[in-house]
Amino acid sequence: MAREISTVGVIGLGTMGAGIVEVFARNGLSVVAVEASPEGVEKGKGVLQHSTDRAVTRGKLTAEDQAALHDRIRFTADLADLAECDLVVEAVPEHLDLKRQIFARLDEIVKPDAILATNTSSLSVTEISVATHNPRRVVGMHFFNPAPVLKFVEVIKTVVVEDEVVEDVKTLAERLGKKPVVVGDKAGFIANALLFGYLNHAVSMFESRYATREDIDAAMQLGCGLPMGPLALMDLIGLDTAYEILDTMYKQGRDRLHAPSPVLKQMVTAGLKGRKTGRGFYTYDEPGSSRVVADHLTPHDGEAHVALREVRTVGVVGSGTMATGIVEVFAKAGYDVTYVARSQAKVEAVRAAIAKSLEKAVQRGKLDEAARDAALGRLTGTTSLDDLARVDLVVEAVVEDLKVKQALFENLDEICKPGAILATTTSSLPVIECASVTKRPQDVVGMHFFNPAQIMKLVEVVHTVSTDDDVVATVQHLCRDLGKHPVTCGDRAGFIVNALLFPYLNDAVKMLEAHYASAEDIDTAMKTGCGYPMGPFELLDVVGLDVSLAIQRELYLEFRERGFAPAPLLEHLVTAGYLGRKTGRGFRTYA
Ligand SMILES: NC(=O)c1ccc[n+]([C@@H]2O[C@H](COP(=O)([O-])OP(=O)(O)OC[C@H]3O[C@@H](n4cnc5c(N)ncnc54)[C@H](O)[C@@H]3O)[C@@H](O)[C@H]2O)c1
């Protein structure tokens, strides 16, 4: 018979514990909240007060309900006060010995049928459970940060735990309005196993100065629609906790990609643990605050240090989806655009597509008729590259084939005036391969727009080892003028976004292949646990499995990381012709 759970205990009132207390108390449970010391109790109380005050200010909680919520909580620094609890959730720091000690003590304090749960993110629940006399009542109950907001809960089932205990915890999670998923006891469970490889990779990009922290974060927010960038998320999680999670995952799987980036250890040692200490990758106005303040790494606004090149007229080569979108973006922003297609029919098709898109904008009230006509008036279509002789900048968006692009750059080099900037919007080819066939590699740069270019704000500005500083500065400035958000990075496979995104998608496929969780559960984990707009399998099906496989192969070839090797299941699905939505079947089947 299912247990009646009405009184619960929470041990540790830090980043997670305080939030877990709030979740329980909000849902009518009586809570015993335990910290290690009276000072810890005061701090935990403060966090809870602050959080519920905010809920009241935002109209999400009434003052009466807030008072009732607080009345349901008893704070203490004595574990013995947990004696009457039906369930205890432990949320102390991520150290195995500490957790084992606490579970051994709890075992003596609580009732024989009380459930003991750990909120560990990565440690073995089994190892924690065997510190008690009755591992059959020990489970993992892994909440996500911030616990009052995120709906996902992983319920971790060890090989010894009683099925009923797992069921009771799952039922309780549902009662709390959460979406629980039951999984086995493997480091990182679903969400962290997929998240932390990505976070660690982002940290290593920062550490190697591949891009700035602001650019890495903006790239993932704007390019993938994530609620936070990876470095801001590390600060929220806590760098010490993140370090321990990565370390455990590395020790279990020996995947080098999980070996914590060296800078993490240095930052933790220096006390830069993220928001909770007021400083991590970013600086906050005080410990515990989410408000970022400027520091020595904050980029300076204002004019670039180099003189910018003048860009008034632009050329676009290509007539596909990206080229059409890019032409529209320039024309709407007031630039005269000469676009080059391979046939007159294509020239007209591009113009028609843009006219239709602008018309839609007018109908929605986002553009007036005069602006529409002006934008159309700025378009010149042609089939001759020679017409690009006078433009200040050319963006090519032809087929993703190096030979084709190189031939085009040779031509542009001969045709365009000296000082014109030549940009490629390639998403996977090395920009330097295009630059090196010209006699002006200093003028060649990557301008990686995202699809649909009219809507997506992000542009990755890619400099090669040869690109001049004023070219980079000019293109950054140009992007801002187009209403885009430029991020700047070096010329490596995947740039920022794809290099961070695709290995994560590939890891999800490997997890599915290993039968650790279903595609449904994995998608749920990333959406409800991490606030991603789409789960990895939904996204793979939209992007196309063939495209994803090609990108993953590029990344593997460039970095030679064992962990980047494409998942065999992905290869098999592509071989079978299951390419995602476009073929009606990928990881899921579509009507
Ligand atoms: N931070 C996250 O995003 C996150 C998310 C999910 C799960 N977790 C897991 O939750 C657990 C707690 O992590 P956190 O980020 O909240 O850490 P934290 O450092 O913010 O908080 C830990 C709290 O435990 C207290 N504590 C230490 N020893 C104690 C003891 N003997 N008795 C009572 N309290 C004690 C500390 O004073 C501190 O307030 C870890 O296992 C972590 O892996 C963390």
Side-chain angles (χ1 to χ4, degrees), residues 88 142 154 156 173 195 231 292 304 333 338 353 387 438 469 472 490 507-508 540-541 548 558 569 582 587:
V88 178
H142 184 227
E154 285 164 326
I156 292 93
L195 186 67
L231 301 175
V292 173
T338 304
D387 290 337
T438 71
D469 288 349
V472 175
D507 283 349
L540 280 160
D541 277 357
S548 305
E558 176 110 324
L569 177 60
K582 59 188 168 189
F587 285 98

Short mmCIF file of all heavy atoms in Angstrom, two decimals, residues 88 142 154 156 173 195 231 292 304 333 338 353 387 438 469 472 490 507-508 540-541 548 558 569 582 587:
data_model
loop_
_atom_site.label_atom_id
_atom_site.label_comp_id
_atom_site.label_asym_id
_atom_site.label_seq_id
_atom_site.Cartn_x
_atom_site.Cartn_y
_atom_site.Cartn_z
N VAL A 88 12.86 11.88 3.74
CA VAL A 88 13.90 12.90 3.92
C VAL A 88 14.67 13.02 2.61
O VAL A 88 15.06 12.01 2.02
CB VAL A 88 14.88 12.52 5.06
CG1 VAL A 88 15.98 13.57 5.19
CG2 VAL A 88 14.15 12.35 6.38
N HIS A 142 16.10 13.63 -7.81
CA HIS A 142 16.96 14.69 -8.34
C HIS A 142 16.13 15.83 -8.92
O HIS A 142 15.55 15.70 -9.99
CB HIS A 142 17.90 14.11 -9.40
CG HIS A 142 18.88 15.09 -9.93
ND1 HIS A 142 19.13 15.26 -11.28
CD2 HIS A 142 19.66 16.00 -9.30
CE1 HIS A 142 20.03 16.22 -11.43
NE2 HIS A 142 20.36 16.67 -10.26
N GLU A 154 14.16 13.61 -11.65
CA GLU A 154 14.61 12.26 -11.96
C GLU A 154 14.52 11.41 -10.70
O GLU A 154 15.04 11.81 -9.65
CB GLU A 154 16.06 12.28 -12.48
CG GLU A 154 16.15 12.80 -13.91
CD GLU A 154 17.56 13.21 -14.32
OE1 GLU A 154 18.32 13.71 -13.46
OE2 GLU A 154 17.91 13.05 -15.49
N ILE A 156 15.71 8.09 -9.12
CA ILE A 156 16.74 7.12 -9.45
C ILE A 156 16.52 5.81 -8.70
O ILE A 156 16.44 5.76 -7.48
CB ILE A 156 18.16 7.68 -9.16
CG1 ILE A 156 18.44 8.82 -10.16
CG2 ILE A 156 19.23 6.63 -9.37
CD1 ILE A 156 18.10 10.15 -9.68
N ALA A 173 6.18 13.23 -6.41
CA ALA A 173 6.68 14.25 -7.36
C ALA A 173 5.52 14.77 -8.20
O ALA A 173 5.41 15.98 -8.45
CB ALA A 173 7.78 13.66 -8.23
N LEU A 195 24.02 17.30 -20.33
CA LEU A 195 24.30 18.73 -20.16
C LEU A 195 25.77 19.01 -19.89
O LEU A 195 26.35 19.96 -20.42
CB LEU A 195 23.46 19.24 -18.98
CG LEU A 195 23.49 20.72 -18.69
CD1 LEU A 195 22.83 21.48 -19.82
CD2 LEU A 195 22.77 21.01 -17.37
N LEU A 231 27.84 29.44 -19.66
CA LEU A 231 28.68 29.94 -18.57
C LEU A 231 27.83 30.59 -17.49
O LEU A 231 28.09 30.43 -16.29
CB LEU A 231 29.75 30.90 -19.12
CG LEU A 231 30.66 30.23 -20.16
CD1 LEU A 231 31.62 31.23 -20.78
CD2 LEU A 231 31.43 29.06 -19.57
N VAL A 292 24.14 40.66 -12.89
CA VAL A 292 25.53 40.73 -13.34
C VAL A 292 25.99 42.19 -13.34
O VAL A 292 25.26 43.07 -13.78
CB VAL A 292 25.65 40.15 -14.77
CG1 VAL A 292 27.04 40.36 -15.33
CG2 VAL A 292 25.30 38.67 -14.75
N ALA A 304 35.21 50.87 -32.24
CA ALA A 304 36.33 49.94 -32.31
C ALA A 304 37.63 50.75 -32.35
O ALA A 304 37.63 51.93 -32.67
CB ALA A 304 36.19 49.11 -33.57
N ALA A 333 17.46 46.66 -44.23
CA ALA A 333 18.27 47.56 -43.39
C ALA A 333 18.78 48.77 -44.18
O ALA A 333 19.54 49.57 -43.64
CB ALA A 333 19.42 46.78 -42.78
N THR A 338 23.16 43.80 -54.66
CA THR A 338 23.20 43.14 -55.96
C THR A 338 23.35 41.65 -55.67
O THR A 338 24.28 41.24 -54.99
CB THR A 338 24.43 43.62 -56.77
OG1 THR A 338 24.36 45.04 -56.87
CG2 THR A 338 24.44 42.99 -58.15
N ALA A 353 10.34 35.69 -53.91
CA ALA A 353 10.30 35.20 -52.52
C ALA A 353 10.41 36.37 -51.55
O ALA A 353 9.71 36.41 -50.52
CB ALA A 353 11.44 34.20 -52.29
N ASP A 387 29.03 41.95 -62.11
CA ASP A 387 28.27 43.07 -61.58
C ASP A 387 28.64 43.39 -60.12
O ASP A 387 28.10 44.33 -59.53
CB ASP A 387 26.76 42.81 -61.71
CG ASP A 387 26.33 42.85 -63.17
OD1 ASP A 387 27.04 43.49 -63.97
OD2 ASP A 387 25.30 42.23 -63.50
N THR A 438 42.52 33.25 -52.67
CA THR A 438 42.52 34.63 -53.14
C THR A 438 43.89 35.26 -52.88
O THR A 438 44.71 34.70 -52.15
CB THR A 438 41.48 35.49 -52.37
OG1 THR A 438 41.97 35.68 -51.04
CG2 THR A 438 40.12 34.83 -52.33
N ASP A 469 42.14 42.92 -38.65
CA ASP A 469 41.29 43.36 -37.54
C ASP A 469 40.18 44.30 -38.01
O ASP A 469 39.06 44.25 -37.50
CB ASP A 469 42.13 44.12 -36.50
CG ASP A 469 43.02 43.17 -35.73
OD1 ASP A 469 42.82 41.93 -35.87
OD2 ASP A 469 43.92 43.65 -35.01
N VAL A 472 37.20 42.39 -39.34
CA VAL A 472 36.36 41.82 -38.28
C VAL A 472 35.51 42.93 -37.65
O VAL A 472 34.29 42.78 -37.50
CB VAL A 472 37.24 41.13 -37.21
CG1 VAL A 472 36.38 40.65 -36.04
CG2 VAL A 472 38.02 39.99 -37.82
N GLY A 490 37.10 32.01 -33.71
CA GLY A 490 38.11 31.57 -34.66
C GLY A 490 37.55 30.55 -35.65
O GLY A 490 36.40 30.12 -35.55
N ASP A 507 25.41 12.70 -28.15
CA ASP A 507 25.40 12.01 -26.85
C ASP A 507 24.00 11.49 -26.53
O ASP A 507 23.84 10.42 -25.94
CB ASP A 507 25.82 12.96 -25.72
CG ASP A 507 27.33 13.16 -25.69
OD1 ASP A 507 28.05 12.43 -26.41
OD2 ASP A 507 27.79 14.07 -24.96
N ALA A 508 23.00 12.26 -26.92
CA ALA A 508 21.62 11.83 -26.67
C ALA A 508 21.33 10.55 -27.46
O ALA A 508 20.69 9.62 -26.96
CB ALA A 508 20.63 12.93 -27.05
N LEU A 540 16.80 16.87 -33.73
CA LEU A 540 17.48 16.09 -34.77
C LEU A 540 16.54 15.83 -35.94
O LEU A 540 16.94 15.92 -37.10
CB LEU A 540 17.97 14.76 -34.19
CG LEU A 540 19.28 14.84 -33.38
CD1 LEU A 540 19.43 13.65 -32.46
CD2 LEU A 540 20.49 14.96 -34.30
N ASP A 541 15.30 15.51 -35.64
CA ASP A 541 14.33 15.24 -36.71
C ASP A 541 14.05 16.49 -37.54
O ASP A 541 13.78 16.40 -38.73
CB ASP A 541 13.02 14.68 -36.13
CG ASP A 541 13.10 13.17 -35.88
OD1 ASP A 541 14.14 12.57 -36.21
OD2 ASP A 541 12.11 12.61 -35.36
N SER A 548 22.87 16.38 -39.60
CA SER A 548 23.47 16.25 -38.27
C SER A 548 24.67 15.32 -38.31
O SER A 548 25.71 15.60 -37.70
CB SER A 548 22.44 15.70 -37.28
OG SER A 548 21.30 16.51 -37.29
N GLU A 558 37.93 17.08 -37.20
CA GLU A 558 38.74 18.22 -36.78
C GLU A 558 39.38 18.01 -35.43
O GLU A 558 40.56 18.26 -35.23
CB GLU A 558 37.86 19.48 -36.73
CG GLU A 558 38.60 20.70 -36.20
CD GLU A 558 38.85 21.75 -37.25
OE1 GLU A 558 39.10 21.36 -38.41
OE2 GLU A 558 38.80 22.94 -36.92
N LEU A 569 23.98 4.46 -34.15
CA LEU A 569 22.55 4.50 -34.44
C LEU A 569 22.21 5.63 -35.42
O LEU A 569 21.36 5.47 -36.30
CB LEU A 569 21.75 4.66 -33.14
CG LEU A 569 20.24 4.80 -33.27
CD1 LEU A 569 19.60 3.58 -33.93
CD2 LEU A 569 19.59 5.03 -31.89
N LYS A 582 11.70 15.44 -42.89
CA LYS A 582 11.63 15.58 -44.34
C LYS A 582 11.35 14.27 -45.05
O LYS A 582 10.85 14.27 -46.18
CB LYS A 582 12.90 16.24 -44.89
CG LYS A 582 14.20 15.52 -44.59
CD LYS A 582 15.40 16.38 -45.02
CE LYS A 582 16.70 15.80 -44.46
NZ LYS A 582 17.84 16.69 -44.67
N PHE A 587 13.82 9.78 -35.73
CA PHE A 587 13.69 9.12 -34.43
C PHE A 587 12.22 8.86 -34.13
O PHE A 587 11.88 7.97 -33.38
CB PHE A 587 14.35 9.96 -33.35
CG PHE A 587 15.84 9.86 -33.42
CD1 PHE A 587 16.58 10.83 -34.05
CD2 PHE A 587 16.50 8.75 -32.92
CE1 PHE A 587 17.96 10.72 -34.16
CE2 PHE A 587 17.87 8.62 -33.02
CZ PHE A 587 18.61 9.61 -33.65
#
